[in-house]
Amino acid sequence: MAPSDDVKVLGAPPSPFVNRVQITLNLKSIDYEFLEQKVGFKSELLLKSNPVHKKVPVMIHGGKSICESLIIVEYIDEVWTDGPGILPLDPYDRAMARFWAAYVDDKLWPTLKGIRSAEGEEAKVAALEQVMEAMMLLEDAFVKCGKGKDFFGGDTIGYLDIALGSFLRWLRATEKMGDVKVLDKTKTPRLFGWAERFSSNAAVKDVLPEVEKLVEIAKFFAAKAKAQ
Amino acid sequence: MAPSDDVKVLGAPPSPFVNRVQITLNLKSIDYEFLEQKVGFKSELLLKSNPVHKKVPVMIHGGKSICESLIIVEYIDEVWTDGPGILPLDPYDRAMARFWAAYVDDKLWPTLKGIRSAEGEEAKVAALEQVMEAMMLLEDAFVKCGKGKDFFGGDTIGYLDIALGSFLRWLRATEKMGDVKVLDKTKTPRLFGWAERFSSNAAVKDVLPEVEKLVEIAKFFAAKAKAQ
C-alpha cells in the first residue's frame, strides 16, 4: 500500500462523514486501524487529534492528524496516487465535483435533517420540498458530472459519489421515519440507479450502516433533544 | 498568460469572496474582465452563471462558469500551473491549508458578523470572545503553516493567506463599528505583522476595499434588516 502504512481512523460507524473516509481507503486498498469512538463521548485521543472541532472523523497517518471528511478524502487521493483516482483529473471537472460536494453538505444534509425534526405536517411538507429541489439538481448534476456513465466520477466511484453516497442510508432512514419518498424510480431515476450501483460496490457495501440502526439512533437523539 | 485568455469575473468590489478571486488572478498575472454586479441585485448573467446559489463570485473561463470562491481559487491554481503556486505542494500542508480556510469561513466570518449585529453590551462581549478564540487559533496556525516565514503559504502568499486576508478590511470595519480591538500587536503579534505584509502586497493592495466604504455598507444593510 505505501507510502507509510501507519493509518488509523477515529470514527463511529453510523457517521456518514466517517464512512467517506472508510470508503476512500477501501477504494485505494489501504489497510487501516479503526479506532471506534462512542457516539456523544469525546475520548482523550479525539480531543488531542482534533482539538479545534473535537469530532470524528480524524485520520492519523504516520502520527499526523487530518480532520474534516472531504479534506481527508482529498488527502488520501493526493498521497496514494497509485490507486484509482478519486478527484477527476480535469480542473473544471474537479471544480464541479467540489461544488456539488459542498452543495450536498451545505444544502442537502441540513434539509434532510429538517424532515426528521419537522413538527407538524406543514413543516414536514416544506422540508420535503426543499430536499426534492436538491435531489432534482443532483439528478441533473449526475448527467453533467458523470457524462452518461455509471457514477458521478464516470466509470468509477469518485469524490462526489463518496460525498453524496455516504448519506444514502441516512436518506433511507429519513424516508422511513418521515413516511416520505425522496429517492425513487420515477422522480429521480438516474440517482435511483446510481444509488443501487454505489451501495453494492465492494468498497462500500460493508461500510454503510443498516437503515434500522440509523432510525434507532435518530430517535434516541430526538428524544434526548426534547428532554433537554 | 495562457491557457485560454478569456477570463471574466462577476463580482462586487466590497465582497471578500470576490476579492479572493481577484487576488489569485493578480498573483498569477492573469488578465480578466471584471463584470461588476450591483449589491443586492441579480443580473440575468449572474442567474444564468450561478443558477444554484445566485451569488458572486462567478468566474467565467472560456465560456464555462465556476462558482464558490475557494473552489475558484483552486481551479485557477490547477489551470495556470506556470504562475506561483497557491496551494502548498505537500499533501499534509495542503490539508492544513484547506482545514484552516474552512475554519475561517465557517467560524471566524460568522462570529465577526456577530460583533456587528450584537444587541447590547453582553452579546457584543460574547461575540468578541468567540472571535478572539478564533484569532488565537489562527495565530498558532500561522506558525505551523508558515513555518516561521512571512506568510501562511511560506515565502509567498498562498491559499490560506488569501482565505483569511480577504476578510482583513471587514475585520477593521467591524473593529471600528463595534469599538473593539481584534487584531493588535500585543494579542496577536504574528497575525498583526502578517496583515501588514499581506495588505501591502502588489497583488492585494488595490483589491481590498476601503474600511470606510465597508462601514457604510454594513450600516446600510443593518438598517435595511431592522426595517423589515
Side-chain angles (χ1 to χ4, degrees), chain A residues 11-20 22 39 56-57 166 170 209 214 217:
Chain A
S15 160
F17 304 101
V18 171
N19 297 159
R20 289 173 174 175
Q22 297 172 289
V39 175
V56 294
S166 61
W170 275 101
L214 299 183
I217 292 170

Side-chain angles (χ1 to χ4, degrees), chain A residues 50 52-53 64-68 71 74-75 78-79 89-96 98-100 102-103 106-107 137, chain B residues 50 52-53 64-68 71 74-75 78-79 89-96 98-100 102-103 106-107 137:
Chain A
N50 188 358
V52 176
H53 299 303
K64 284 180 173 175
S65 303
I66 304 108
C67 306
E68 300 289 79
I71 293 175
E74 288 218 48
Y75 174 83
E78 291 174 357
V79 171
L89 288 176
D90 176 76
Y92 179 76
D93 294 340
R94 290 164 77 88
M96 285 304 99
R98 288 182 180 128
F99 175 86
W100 286 110
Y103 179 82
D106 299 342
K107 301 283 173 181
L137 285 173
Chain B
N50 188 357
V52 176
H53 300 302
K64 284 179 174 175
S65 302
I66 304 108
C67 307
E68 301 286 82
I71 293 175
E74 289 219 50
Y75 174 82
E78 291 174 357
V79 171
L89 289 177
D90 175 76
Y92 180 76
D93 292 342
R94 290 164 77 88
M96 285 302 100
R98 288 183 180 126
F99 175 86
W100 286 109
Y103 180 82
D106 299 342
K107 301 283 173 181
L137 285 174

